[in-house]
């Protein structure tokens, strides 16, 4: 039997009017009551009739999401959270994997009346998107955007703080010869992580062992480490700009029988799924995908219903996750 809004009201102990207000994102509902409704919706697996609600609101009931790739477990986790939150509010998430605004997929989504709002996840060419979205009066939110001047409606990660925490961890373990392998400078995250790395070293009056820019790929970490081995010089620790780069370094070291972390310690970034599945489990900096997705969905819902007029950036702190690649602990099998 299909669950109705009346069932949700009964389960939560609140009125149908209150449930309806929660589903429509009204700010007049007390947070305690809002949580009761959301808990009841999840427990009953209630799915609002998106078509009926869309007709009532004169909208499509669709939110667009443009992302450059889905071959990334962090992006996957953000998309999953966005989908769940928006579904609770009766919206269908239409995902487009696109390399730029000129692509057919992206062009389709930003046409008038196709979507009620749009989310850009780690966009490139964000200026061009923003111009088009404003021209068409489509509410939007950026996640992990590249330019600070576009932070008006965005959810960003404090990558400076992440880079600083990763490097300080290595310094606290006694390392002084620390290398940093980063992604391309076009990415804001690359620049911020590097700034945090350099500041942590400067606080200890130390210089980097080496700083190299490349791709967010395993091959980049592997090839760089092979060069160090050929030249007969190794850092005592590596802060990699993402987990793929870190795993490439680990592979090259293991081929030569060099122990991690006893001889070289390694920190990655992103807490990709694989980082807690292969030995040595990788110390990394986690970006909280659930909080990022929830914050972005909440911001877009408020923009779409007109309750958020002024811009506001949500800045989320990352979290250092210490595992075997910096602190040897054979008993650690938790992966967290």
């Amino acid at each position: 039997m299909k669950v109705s809004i009346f069932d949700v009201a009964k389960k939560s102990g609140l009125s149908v009017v209150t449930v309806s207000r929660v589903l429509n994102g009204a700010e007049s509902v007390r947070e305690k009551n809002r949580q009761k409704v959301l808990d009841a919706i999840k427990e009953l697996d209630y799915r609002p009739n998106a078509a009926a609600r869309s007709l009532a609101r004169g909208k499509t009931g669709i939110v667009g999401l443009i992302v450059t790739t889905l071959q990334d477990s962090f992006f996957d986790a953000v998309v999953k959270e966005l989908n769940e939150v928006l579904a609770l509010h009766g919206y269908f998430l239409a995902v487009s994997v696109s390399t730029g605004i000129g692509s057919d997929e992206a062009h389709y989504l930003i046409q008038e009346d196709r979507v009620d709002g749009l989310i850009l996840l780690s966009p490139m060419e964000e200026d061009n998107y923003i111009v088009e979205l404003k021209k068409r009066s489509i509410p939007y939110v950026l996640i992990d955007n590249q330019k600070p001047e576009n932070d008006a409606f965005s959810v960003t990660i404090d990558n400076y703080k992440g880079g600083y925490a990763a490097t300080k961890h290595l310094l606290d373990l006694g390392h002084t010869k620390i290398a940093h392998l980063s992604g391309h400078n076009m990415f804001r995250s690359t620049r911020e992580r590097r700034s945090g790395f350099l500041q942590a070293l400067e606080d200890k009056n130390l210089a980097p062992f080496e700083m190299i820019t490349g791709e967010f790929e395993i091959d980049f970490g592997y090839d760089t480490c092979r060069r160090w081995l050929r030249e007969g010089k190794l850092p005592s620790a590596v802060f990699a700009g993402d987990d793929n780069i870190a795993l490439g370094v680990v592979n090259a070291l293991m081929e030569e029988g060099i122990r991690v972390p006893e001889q070289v310690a390694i920190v990655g970034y992103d807490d990709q799924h694989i980082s807690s599945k292969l030995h040595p489990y990788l110390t990394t900096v986690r970006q909280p995908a659930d909080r990022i997705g929830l914050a972005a969905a909440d911001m877009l819902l408020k923009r779409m219903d007109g309750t958020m007029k002024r811009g506001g950036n949500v800045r989320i702190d990352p979290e250092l996750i210490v595992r075997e690649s910096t602190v040897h602990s054979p008993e650690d099998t938790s992966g967290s």
Side-chain angles (χ1 to χ4, degrees):
M1 184 176 178
K2 187 175 181 180
V3 178
S4 72
I5 193 171
F6 299 100
D7 298 316
V8 175
K10 184 177 179 180
K11 185 72 176 178
S12 64
L14 299 167
S15 68
V16 171
V17 172
T18 300
V19 174
S20 178
R21 285 174 178 164
V22 171
L23 289 171
N24 287 287
E27 293 188 331
S28 58
V29 182
R30 293 178 182 175
E31 182 58 32
K32 183 179 179 182
N33 289 341
R34 179 176 174 274
Q35 195 56 54
K36 284 182 179 179
V37 172
L38 292 176
D39 290 343
I41 287 171
K42 281 192 174 182
E43 190 172 338
L44 295 172
D45 194 25
Y46 171 64
R47 299 292 174 183
N49 188 324
R53 293 180 62 214
S54 296
L55 286 172
R57 292 178 305 197
K59 297 186 177 182
T60 67
I62 298 173
V63 167
L65 171 69
I66 295 177
V67 61
T68 54
T69 180
L70 284 177
Q71 295 180 327
D72 184 301
S73 63
F74 166 66
F75 283 3
D76 287 351
V78 173
V79 173
K80 182 176 182 291
E81 185 69 21
L82 286 170
N83 188 57
E84 289 181 357
V85 175
L86 291 169
L88 286 175
H89 289 82
Y91 285 96
F92 174 78
L93 186 67
V95 180
S96 170
V97 181
S98 171
T99 55
I101 194 168
S103 69
D104 291 340
E105 298 86 356
H107 185 71
Y108 178 86
L109 278 184
I110 62 177
Q111 297 303 300
E112 291 96 333
D113 303 325
R114 292 271 165 78
V115 295
D116 295 335
L118 195 70
I119 296 172
L120 297 167
L121 176 51
S122 199
M124 306 305 296
E125 303 180 20
E126 63 193 59
D127 289 335
N128 294 333
Y129 278 116
I130 291 171
V131 168
E132 284 298 312
L133 292 168
K134 284 181 176 178
K135 185 192 300 183
R136 302 172 190 279
S137 299
I138 300 174
Y140 66 87
V141 171
L142 309 177
I143 300 177
D144 190 31
N145 53 296
Q146 312 307 330
K147 297 184 178 181
E149 57 266 32
N150 293 329
D151 280 353
F153 297 101
S154 68
V155 177
T156 56
I157 301 90
D158 195 334
N159 284 291
Y160 171 88
K161 190 173 288 185
Y164 188 95
T167 311
K168 185 177 184 300
H169 172 62
L170 293 170
L171 291 166
D172 289 346
L173 291 172
H175 295 284
T176 57
K177 295 165 56 180
I178 307 174
H180 179 44
L181 309 186
S182 65
H184 280 300
N185 286 325
M186 72 177 77
F187 296 108
R188 179 181 183 180
S189 59
T190 290
R191 302 190 298 272
E192 290 184 349
R193 291 168 196 178
R194 183 188 298 123
S195 294
F197 166 76
L198 289 171
Q199 185 60 58
L201 289 181
E202 187 178 316
D203 289 349
K204 295 291 186 179
N205 296 314
L206 293 171
F209 173 85
E210 191 171 5
M211 292 194 303
I212 313 168
T213 300
E215 303 283 346
F216 288 116
E217 300 287 349
I218 288 176
D219 286 348
F220 169 50
Y222 179 85
D223 292 342
T224 301
C225 189
R226 293 300 306 178
R227 175 175 62 78
W228 288 334
L229 290 164
R230 286 195 306 271
E231 295 172 353
K233 61 172 189 177
L234 277 176
S236 67
V238 177
F239 167 42
D242 87 334
D243 292 340
N244 288 323
I245 298 171
L247 291 171
V249 175
V250 171
N251 286 348
L253 292 172
M254 291 181 68
E255 283 183 0
E256 295 297 313
I258 295 170
R259 300 188 306 279
V260 177
E262 291 87 349
Q263 292 173 273
V264 180
I266 301 171
V267 179
Y269 209 105
D270 283 344
D271 195 24
Q272 297 274 356
H273 180 70
I274 197 172
S275 65
S276 62
K277 302 303 176 186
L278 297 177
H279 285 289
Y281 295 144
L282 187 65
T283 293
T284 186
V285 180
R286 173 183 295 160
Q287 303 189 76
D290 54 347
R291 290 174 55 203
I292 293 166
L294 180 60
D298 183 61
M299 185 181 293
L300 186 64
L301 289 165
K302 288 176 179 176
R303 290 205 70 190
M304 290 190 298
D305 67 21
T307 58
M308 184 177 187
K309 302 291 187 183
R310 293 185 176 182
N313 169 252
V314 176
R315 190 87 161 151
I316 294 178
D317 288 344
E319 177 188 3
L320 179 69
I321 306 297
V322 178
R323 298 193 181 106
E324 294 176 344
S325 67
T326 57
V327 179
H328 187 58
S329 177
E331 293 81 16
D332 179 14
T333 58
S334 63
S336 63

